[in-house]
């Protein structure tokens, strides 16, 4: 094999290595993006659930005039009963 063929092979190998590095980088970015999107969706769903729950609590318990600490005390008083009697 002469030098020309060897150089050509080395160039091809280098191109393939660079392509592999580029693809590895893309795969890492895609994984990171999916993880970020999953976290975002989870936070979005959790926030919606918290807002809906808060709206129901205000609707049924009329707590607008209570402070946060007073609300917490009220929830503590009923927590055992609610947890023991909530539907599956």
């Amino acid at each position: 094999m002469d030098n020309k063929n060897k150089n050509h092979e080395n160039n091809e190998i280098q191109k393939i290595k660079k392509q592999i590095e580029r693809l590895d980088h893309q795969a890492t970015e895609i994984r990171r993006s999916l993880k970020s999107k999953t976290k975002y969706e989870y936070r979005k769903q959790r926030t919606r659930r918290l807002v809906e729950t808060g709206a129901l609590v205000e609707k049924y318990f009329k707590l607008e005039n209570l402070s946060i600490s007073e609300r917490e005390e009220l929830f503590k008083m009923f927590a055992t009963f609610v947890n023991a009697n909530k539907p599956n």
Side-chain angles (χ1 to χ4, degrees):
M1 187 181 290
D2 61 357
N3 263 351
K4 193 174 187 180
N5 284 341
K6 223 175 204 180
N7 284 339
H8 180 70
E9 283 182 14
N10 285 337
N11 286 340
E12 289 299 315
I13 290 171
Q14 290 304 316
K15 285 180 185 178
I16 292 170
K17 284 182 180 180
K18 285 181 183 181
Q19 188 175 14
I20 289 171
E21 287 176 14
R22 200 169 33 252
L23 291 172
D24 282 343
H25 180 70
Q26 285 177 343
T28 301
E29 288 299 315
I30 289 170
R31 278 189 223 101
R32 187 176 295 133
S33 175
L34 285 173
K35 187 175 181 181
S36 176
K37 185 176 181 180
T38 302
K39 283 182 180 181
Y40 172 77
E41 288 299 321
Y42 171 77
R43 285 193 313 268
K44 187 175 169 182
Q45 289 171 359
R46 182 176 184 270
T47 299
R48 180 183 175 100
R49 193 173 61 247
L50 291 172
V51 168
E52 289 172 342
T53 300
L56 289 171
V57 168
E58 283 190 351
K59 176 181 177 181
Y60 289 103
F61 294 107
K62 310 280 191 258
L63 304 177
E64 295 85 10
N65 61 338
L66 298 180
S67 70
I68 293 294
S69 59
E70 291 170 330
R71 292 174 193 194
E72 185 173 12
E73 287 302 314
L74 182 67
F75 294 147
K76 283 180 186 178
M77 289 179 358
F78 289 103
T80 304
F81 174 78
V82 170
N83 286 325
N85 294 293
K86 67 183 173 190
N88 295 339

